[in-house]
Amino acid sequence: MKSSGNTYYDKMHRLGKFVTVGSILVFCGVPLVVCLYYGIMPKIGDLLLAAGGLCAIFIPTGVAEAFGEIPVMGSSYYVANVTGNILNLKLPAALNALKVANVKSGTEAADAITGLAVAVSSLVTLVMLLLGMLLMTPLEPFLSSPAVSTAAGYVLPALFGCLVLSFLSNDVGGGVIVKKRLLAAIFPFALCIILYLIIPDYYDLGQGFVMVICIPIVYVITKIMYKKGIITVEMPEEEKKTEEEHA
Amino acid sequence: MSFQDIANSGLIWGCVVVGIILVVLITLYYMVVCYRHAIKVGVAKETVNAVVKSSATFSIVPSIAIVAGLATLAVVIGLPYAWFRLSVLGSVTYELMSANLALKALGLDVATADAYAFGLMAWAMCIGITVTLLFNIFFAKKVHLGTLKLGDKDQKWGAVSQTVFMTALLCALIVPMIFGGIVSLLTFASSAVIAILITGIAKVAKADWLNQFTLAFSLIGAMALSVVYDGLF
């Protein structure tokens, strides 16, 4: 595959920032217009009282999650944030797309494929919400039925059971085979289990922080195992040749 | 004017429709840019189309769960603003929490909420998530490009290092799904088993197209089974 250098990433991050600024304007524009028109702009004191606790929880968690999700989602993270529902929709969409396209993570192709999947997934949700809004009255009994409520509560295990399978494979995409890389996950996985069993409520609330803790642990263990030759890598034929030429 | 008058006013409908149209246009543009670039860097058009199909089909079912949240949220904040909030940035949990906190700050509830409470609630919902968007503007590029540089000197290590983030992410994410109760565990396992079955069928029947829908079928099957498990345990 050809590479057009770093300019693609510059362009996509510029686009992402533009998308984010635009969405912030839309996002704040609606309450601003409504509050100014009806003369119901809230007092700062009331706002701090109402949003202070929420910000104290969601801002650090959101930032921590970003550190875990950006390396996987790449430049599509901006658009994923604009339409929300990252863990239960956009991240699985990205992982699924990488599997379907069989591209190597960290490449321009992977970034574009991830962005495409996130955008398509966002549009489907927007259409579904439009339909749901238009058909709210006839759909209400179905949407509020116990079966739908129960099933909706298990979206994440239903998604990740399938996604984790593809992750267990030695083929990490683009024909690259990495053997025994999962050995590096044993310790952090055990650590997560212990944390979850000890403090389940805090674990759910601070999952972003757990990701941030896991990244350096997995990184260091993987690096040591790679250096010691425990984790081995087989590159596809065309890249082997390029590597030999460079050598 | 009452809370409900404002929550269902023509002005709010107008603002929400304009806002959502802008988000749709932004997303469509982004989709076209990514589609073209994927083909430009050598991904086969059939593969790119398969990604579109697979992403679209699998997204339907989780979206139904979001629509179910719309029904809940609409009761509290009115249909137009609930539609807007769930279309851009929002999640049902966050929106419900912020709506309730805003009403509590004024000593009100859904039944007694007034027009001022609507303004407060609308802004309370905005602030927390907007700050995380600002983080993306200043730091997302640094984080992303920083991780891409990991394999600059050693191509093989570059390939391994890119898997590190996904490994860490999945370690943190799947633990509550496996240890969060028997129904969650069985749903997780069912999804994996259905995926194995579909992959096997696709292989035996030489129906490669079926692989595009593995996630969608696993999701639907496992969610349906979660209702059965919930009844059993």
Side-chain angles (χ1 to χ4, degrees):
Chain A
M1 280 184 202
K2 292 185 291 182
S3 169
S4 55
N6 203 27
T7 52
Y8 161 76
Y9 291 116
D10 288 334
K11 185 182 147 199
M12 293 312 282
H13 279 281
R14 253 197 316 276
L15 177 62
K17 285 173 189 176
F18 169 76
V19 164
T20 307
V21 171
S23 71
I24 290 175
L25 291 176
V26 170
F27 198 46
C28 297
V30 174
L32 183 70
V33 170
V34 172
C35 287
L36 286 176
Y37 185 82
Y38 289 111
I40 51 169
M41 192 62 83
K43 292 174 192 151
I44 297 290
D46 288 340
L47 199 54
L48 286 175
L49 198 63
L54 212 62
C55 288
I57 298 168
F58 279 93
I59 293 174
T61 311
V63 170
E65 277 180 12
F67 279 104
E69 290 160 356
I70 290 170
V72 177
M73 300 187 74
S75 63
S76 69
Y77 194 65
Y78 299 97
V79 170
N81 264 273
V82 167
T83 46
N85 291 292
I86 295 180
L87 282 182
N88 58 339
L89 200 57
K90 307 299 160 23
L91 182 66
L95 297 177
N96 176 55
L98 290 174
K99 186 191 157 204
V100 170
N102 190 28
V103 286
K104 194 169 86 180
S105 295
T107 59
E108 284 186 22
D111 196 73
I113 286 293
T114 305
L116 180 64
V118 167
V120 169
S121 180
S122 301
L123 288 169
V124 169
T125 307
L126 287 164
V127 170
M128 293 295 287
L129 275 166
L130 174 68
L131 291 174
M133 193 269 303
L134 293 172
L135 303 170
M136 184 52 75
T137 310
L139 282 179
E140 219 272 330
F142 167 72
L143 292 173
S144 56
S145 65
V148 171
S149 302
T150 304
Y154 294 102
V155 168
L156 285 179
L159 273 173
F160 280 88
C162 169
L163 288 171
V164 163
L165 265 191
S166 56
F167 172 76
L168 297 178
S169 160
N170 285 337
D171 186 343
V172 298
V176 180
I177 306 293
V178 182
K179 287 179 182 165
K180 296 188 180 174
R181 73 195 160 89
L182 291 178
L183 291 175
I186 294 173
F187 175 68
F189 189 60
L191 188 72
C192 290
I193 294 170
I194 293 165
L195 275 176
Y196 183 74
L197 294 178
I198 297 171
I199 43 166
D201 292 340
Y202 289 108
Y203 188 100
D204 284 336
L205 209 60
Q207 215 164 30
F209 294 105
V210 182
M211 285 177 203
V212 172
I213 294 167
C214 284
I215 290 172
I217 297 175
V218 179
Y219 183 88
V220 170
I221 298 174
T222 307
K223 183 96 184 177
I224 293 169
M225 293 179 109
Y226 172 74
K227 291 260 180 195
K228 290 197 167 184
I230 300 168
I231 293 175
T232 55
V233 184
E234 287 169 27
M235 302 298 279
E237 283 307 314
E238 54 184 290
E239 291 189 30
K240 265 186 199 166
K241 281 175 195 165
T242 321
E243 205 175 7
E244 280 162 14
E245 279 166 19
H246 282 298
Chain B
M1 282 188 106
S2 71
F3 184 100
Q4 287 303 328
D5 288 338
I6 292 179
N8 296 297
S9 65
L11 178 70
I12 203 157
W13 274 109
C15 288
V16 163
V17 168
V18 171
I20 291 176
I21 288 172
L22 286 173
V23 171
V24 169
L25 291 176
I26 286 171
T27 312
L28 274 173
Y29 177 71
Y30 190 84
M31 186 182 79
V32 171
V33 170
C34 291
Y35 188 96
R36 285 182 182 160
H37 194 77
I39 289 172
K40 188 182 161 192
V41 293
V43 183
K45 199 172 181 180
E46 295 73 30
T47 307
V48 180
N49 289 338
V51 168
V52 172
K53 274 187 218 162
S54 183
S55 305
T57 46
F58 122 79
S59 298
I60 292 170
V61 176
S63 297
I64 292 173
I66 298 169
V67 176
L70 176 71
T72 313
L73 194 61
V75 175
V76 183
I77 65 172
L79 187 56
Y81 205 60
W83 175 38
F84 177 68
R85 290 295 314 186
L86 294 182
S87 298
V88 289
L89 296 155
S91 71
V92 181
T93 319
Y94 175 82
E95 311 304 341
L96 280 174
M97 272 174 78
S98 48
N100 284 326
L101 281 170
L103 292 176
K104 265 188 193 167
L106 297 173
L108 301 169
D109 56 34
V110 179
T112 56
D114 55 13
Y116 180 77
F118 185 86
L120 180 64
M121 192 197 62
W123 279 108
M125 286 176 167
C126 254
I127 292 175
I129 288 185
T130 308
V131 174
T132 57
L133 286 181
L134 291 173
F135 170 86
N136 290 345
I137 292 174
F138 295 107
F139 300 105
K141 187 179 178 185
K142 284 176 188 163
V143 175
H144 180 211
L145 297 188
T147 58
L148 290 179
K149 281 179 189 163
L150 287 173
D152 273 358
K153 290 176 187 167
D154 178 353
Q155 216 180 7
K156 284 185 175 177
W157 168 243
V160 183
S161 67
Q162 290 305 317
T163 68
V164 162
F165 303 100
M166 218 180 285
T167 308
L169 205 71
L170 289 176
C171 278
L173 284 177
I174 64 171
V175 165
M177 298 171 204
I178 297 173
F179 295 91
I182 187 73
V183 178
S184 179
L185 173 64
L186 288 173
T187 307
F188 182 88
S190 302
S191 172
V193 170
I194 294 168
I196 292 169
L197 286 174
I198 293 169
T199 310
I201 292 168
K203 205 172 178 180
V204 171
K206 289 179 183 167
D208 279 348
W209 59 269
L210 199 56
N211 287 320
Q212 295 167 29
F213 304 101
T214 307
L215 185 58
F217 288 136
S218 301
L219 179 66
I220 295 168
M223 281 176 80
L225 285 169
S226 75
V227 180
V228 178
Y229 301 142
D230 193 64
L232 289 174
F233 298 99

